[in-house]
Each structure stands twice: as C-alpha cells, then as structure tokens.
Amino acid sequence: MKKKLIKNFPLKLLSLALAIFLWAVVVNVDDPVTSVQFSNVPVEILHPEVVTSKGKTYQIEDETDTVRVTVKAKRSVLHNMSASDIRAYADMKEMSLGSQIPIEVSVPGFEYTEAYSSPRNLQVTIEDEAQNTFPITPTTTGSVRDGYVLGEIKADPEKVKVNGPKSIIERIDKVVAEVDVTGLAEDTVLPSKLVFYDADGKTIDNTLLTLQDLKDETDVSVRVEVRNTKRLRLTFDTSSITAADGYVFTGIETEPTEVQVSGSSDVLKDLDEIEIPAEALNVQNLDSKEEVVVDITPYLPDGVELIDKNAGAVVVTIGIEEEGSRTLEIPTGSIAVNNLQDGLQYSYVSGNNLEIKVQGDQDILDSLELDEGSLSINLVTYKEPGEYDVPVEVKLPAGCSLAEDVVIKVRLEQIDNEETE
C-alpha cells in the first residue's frame, strides 16, 4: 500500500503544484486587480489651527478642494466601492513651501493595493484674517397686489459681522437680503439669504467667510410692510388771500387736484380729502394772477404718505381780476366751427385753451358760465391752406361784454387723397 502511495511521487507533486497554479490563474482571471478613478472627492483639512492660531486664514487655490482619486484593488472590491467611501485629507502640519500640502488617501473598510489623488497636493494661500461689520440692505423683486404699495422694508438682523481673508473682506461693498413680494397684500416676514457684492456689482463667493451671530447666510429674514392706497382730493383754505383795491379774488386752480397716498386700511377708510390750512396761502394785496407752490407734505394726516414723493409740491394758481371784469379759460374743443371748405382740415396753433376777458356787473360775472356753443368761428373766407388769425364770436348774457376782441390762430391743411378714400 505504501509503495502505491509513493509510486511516481514527483509526478504527483508536480500535478498538485500545477493544480494550485491553475486555480490561482482562474481566480485571478475571474477577479483581477484593476484600477478605477473616482471624481469630486472632497479634501478634508486637518489641523487648520496651525494657520488660524496665528491670526491668519487660508484660501484653497486652483479648485484643489476636490480631487480625482485612483484606487487599485480587485474588481469585486471596486464594484462595491463609491466616492463617499474614500477619505482624502491634507494635514496643515505637513505644509511645505508655504503653500503646498500633500493629500493623503485612504479607503477604510476595503482591501486595496494602492490609492492616490490627482493632484497630489492641496494648493493654499495664507493671508491675514480680517473682520468688518456691514449693514444689511433689504431689496425686493416682483410687485405687491394691485391697490397696495410697499411700505417699510427692514432686514432682521440689520447688520452682520463678517470674518474672513483680508482680501475678500476688503472687496465687500454691499450685503443684500433679497425677497420676492409678488402678490403680497399684508405685512409679512419673509426668509432671505445674504448675498455679498463688490463695488462693481459682482457677487463675492462667501465660502471662506464666517458670519458672527448667524448660523449661515440663510439665517436672515426681511419684514415687509404692505400699505393700502387711495386718491385724495386737495382742499385749500383761501381765507388768507386778499386782492388789492380795485381787484377781486376769483378763486384758485391746483395742479394736481388730487394725490395718491398710502396707509393702513384703518387710517384711509374715513379719508376723502387733504385739507390745506390758510397759512399755506397767506398772500396779500394781489393785483394780478399769481402762482404759488405749496408743499402739502406737512399737512398729511398721521400714518399717511405720498406714493410719489415728488407729488408734495402743488402749484396753486390764484385768480385775481379787476373789479367789473373776469377772465374765462375756455377749451378750444368747445368752439363751434362753421363753413369749413371742402378738402381742408383745421387745427388750433394756440394750444388747448382760450382766454376770454369779459366785463360787466360783478355779481353777474361771479356766476358767469359759457355754455357749449357760446363760442364759434366762421371759416367761409379761408379757402387755402395756411395759418390764420380768426375772430371768435362770443355770445354773452345781457349786462356783459368782451373787454377785448378774441382771436384764435387756426391752421388749415389740405386733406390727403388717401384719407378721403
């Protein structure tokens, strides 16, 4: 039996070795060692206090804060591996040349032959750390609901203290918190996010900035006040206006006659007008028409604001006439036109209004109103295109007459054939 076991022993030993070799080959063919690249692996910074404890800060250059990592291992191992399993880190203690830190790579929990990053070094810039406090400027986009306007807009907090590299801190020109107010119809607090801008209006990357007293750039809100709107007429107390001897005060005209204001619904609901006291028109001994500019802003009720801040300046025209006379301003559109020649069309050169000075009994003049059709022109003798001074016929009630003849400049033009077809 023993002879049979040891018979051809060298051959049997060779066969065993060959079998082991073939098994290794088969295993290696089925699960070979290969390599795979993983992209966008973040680089962890170790021991940053090496820099920060000296009042310095660092900035990662050349986008080396993420790297490509090559891992060499068996195919079956690589099949179960992902970028999140890889740890790439740069230890500040290993910094060389003041700007390069070797990047080390490991894949905990996996058997692998080799792992390395590309690039192999983290590039950093070391500079002084700085701090500054900036006001937060709230801004809005969109429009509130029709019939409403924006009131006060206030950021919370109103300012922010920022730490970071001196070069970045010095670039910051404005810190903005923007919110969308589209469709708002009531006071609202909206979440916002801080955006940093330089003097050219370009956004600044805030990755390396630290916000004091805030968790991050989203830890800010904006209070938005939404106000109702209403149009209010202007009423003036004219009791302090006096005319000189031989003249009479005939009233005022204002431009504008009303203004649009904003305020809370409780304040606006009972308001229909803005009353301007006599002190605003304290004008004495006038002997001719005069224009006065009145600032109505001081006379706005509490809680009411002008929507157009420039609308506070109101032009008041004070009418003054000689006793026994009155000047009427008549729209030129109310003048009847008679006997216009065929093929001609007319327009008025002298504007949209015509002044007519009437004299007579003062009591009649005070209530004088000219009805439509009281003024007319006759174009029967004007047969050619051109500009003409045409007399105006005015029908006046008994006891009144024209203080002077009334003439209006009329332009006559040929009608194009295309217009008549």
Side-chain angles (χ1 to χ4, degrees):
M1 181 69 178
K2 184 177 179 180
K3 290 183 178 181
K4 289 184 178 181
L5 288 174
I6 61 174
K7 187 178 181 181
N8 299 321
F9 181 75
L11 183 59
K12 290 179 180 180
L13 186 61
L14 179 61
S15 298
L16 177 60
L18 182 60
I20 293 172
F21 173 76
L22 290 175
W23 175 82
V25 170
V26 169
V27 168
N28 196 50
V29 169
D30 288 343
D31 193 12
V33 174
T34 185
S35 61
V36 171
Q37 275 194 351
F38 297 88
S39 300
N40 299 318
V41 176
V43 179
E44 179 185 358
I45 306 297
L46 300 183
H47 302 108
E49 66 275 6
V50 170
V51 172
T52 58
S53 62
K54 300 176 182 178
K56 303 284 185 177
T57 186
Y58 62 89
Q59 184 172 348
I60 299 173
E61 300 289 346
D62 301 328
E63 299 181 351
T64 55
D65 54 336
T66 61
V67 293
R68 295 190 312 275
V69 172
T70 301
V71 180
K72 184 179 292 186
K74 290 184 177 182
R75 179 182 294 169
S76 60
V77 174
L78 294 174
H79 179 74
N80 296 314
M81 190 181 298
S82 65
S84 61
D85 297 315
I86 301 171
R87 184 187 176 210
Y89 56 92
D91 193 334
M92 285 284 191
K93 293 181 178 179
E94 303 298 325
M95 185 185 306
S96 62
L97 303 177
S99 63
Q100 291 189 353
I101 309 171
I103 298 173
E104 302 292 337
V105 177
S106 65
V107 192
F110 291 85
E111 292 186 6
Y112 58 94
T113 304
E114 185 180 13
Y116 57 89
S117 68
S118 178
R120 296 291 186 107
N121 294 299
L122 183 74
Q123 302 290 333
V124 296
T125 299
I126 307 299
E127 60 177 301
D128 292 334
E129 185 176 41
Q131 181 185 89
N132 203 352
T133 300
F134 300 92
I136 298 175
T137 303
T139 62
T140 64
T141 60
S143 301
V144 296
R145 189 180 300 177
D146 289 345
Y148 296 85
V149 294
L150 285 175
E152 184 182 29
I153 305 171
K154 191 174 181 180
D156 183 20
E158 297 182 43
K159 56 186 179 180
V160 60
K161 186 181 292 185
V162 185
N163 288 63
K166 184 178 180 181
S167 61
I168 298 180
I169 296 295
E170 290 179 344
R171 285 181 57 207
I172 298 175
D173 180 67
K174 183 167 62 173
V175 181
V176 171
E178 184 178 270
V179 290
D180 185 356
V181 299
T182 300
L184 290 186
E186 61 183 0
D187 296 352
T188 310
V189 177
L190 298 172
S192 185
K193 178 180 180 180
L194 294 182
V195 181
F196 298 81
Y197 291 93
D198 63 16
D200 296 325
K202 297 178 180 178
T203 57
I204 297 174
D205 183 4
N206 65 347
T207 305
L208 299 177
L209 301 179
T210 303
L211 309 180
Q212 301 295 318
D213 304 321
L214 293 178
K215 290 184 293 184
D216 55 37
E217 72 274 9
T218 64
D219 190 23
V220 64
S221 60
V222 175
R223 298 193 196 112
V224 180
E225 181 186 28
V226 179
R227 300 163 64 94
N228 288 63
T229 64
K230 193 173 185 179
R231 299 197 73 86
L232 301 179
R233 65 178 179 273
L234 302 174
T235 59
F236 286 80
D237 184 340
T238 61
S239 60
S240 292
I241 299 174
T242 62
D245 290 342
Y247 293 85
V248 292
F249 166 58
T250 60
I252 65 170
E253 293 181 354
T254 67
E255 178 57 40
T257 59
E258 62 180 14
V259 291
Q260 191 171 21
V261 300
S262 66
S264 68
S265 56
D266 291 340
V267 171
L268 294 182
K269 65 180 180 180
D270 296 324
L271 282 180
D272 294 309
E273 63 184 12
I274 298 174
E275 297 178 357
I276 313 301
E279 65 187 54
L281 289 175
N282 187 11
V283 188
Q284 308 292 319
N285 297 317
L286 295 179
D287 59 6
S288 63
K289 181 171 68 174
E290 185 163 327
E291 286 188 351
V292 178
V293 178
V294 177
D295 181 9
I296 66 169
T297 306
Y299 310 114
L300 295 174
D302 291 340
V304 174
E305 295 181 359
L306 294 171
I307 290 179
D308 181 358
K309 304 303 181 184
N310 297 321
V314 176
V315 179
V316 180
T317 303
I318 303 173
I320 300 292
E321 301 282 355
E322 292 183 67
E323 287 186 2
S325 68
R326 182 181 173 190
T327 300
L328 301 175
E329 198 169 77
I330 308 298
T332 55
S334 65
I335 301 173
V337 179
N338 299 320
N339 299 312
L340 177 64
Q341 299 297 311
D342 291 341
L344 295 179
Q345 59 185 3
Y346 75 95
S347 61
Y348 297 113
V349 179
S350 51
N352 296 323
N353 294 300
L354 180 67
E355 285 192 353
I356 300 173
K357 190 170 184 179
V358 182
Q359 58 189 11
D361 183 89
Q362 191 64 49
D363 290 337
I364 298 176
L365 293 175
D366 288 342
S367 58
L368 178 60
E369 297 289 343
L370 294 182
D371 298 331
E372 189 172 345
S374 297
L375 280 70
S376 63
I377 57 175
N378 190 346
L379 299 179
V380 67
T381 61
Y382 304 94
K383 300 181 179 181
E384 300 294 332
E387 291 186 2
Y388 303 95
D389 291 325
V390 180
V392 179
E393 182 181 347
V394 183
K395 295 178 182 179
L396 296 172
C400 294
S401 62
L402 292 175
E404 55 191 29
D405 292 337
V406 181
V407 175
I408 189 168
K409 186 175 285 294
V410 179
R411 179 185 292 117
L412 296 178
E413 296 177 294
Q414 193 77 39
I415 298 176
D416 293 338
N417 291 331
E418 293 181 2
E419 294 183 11
T420 58
E421 290 178 358

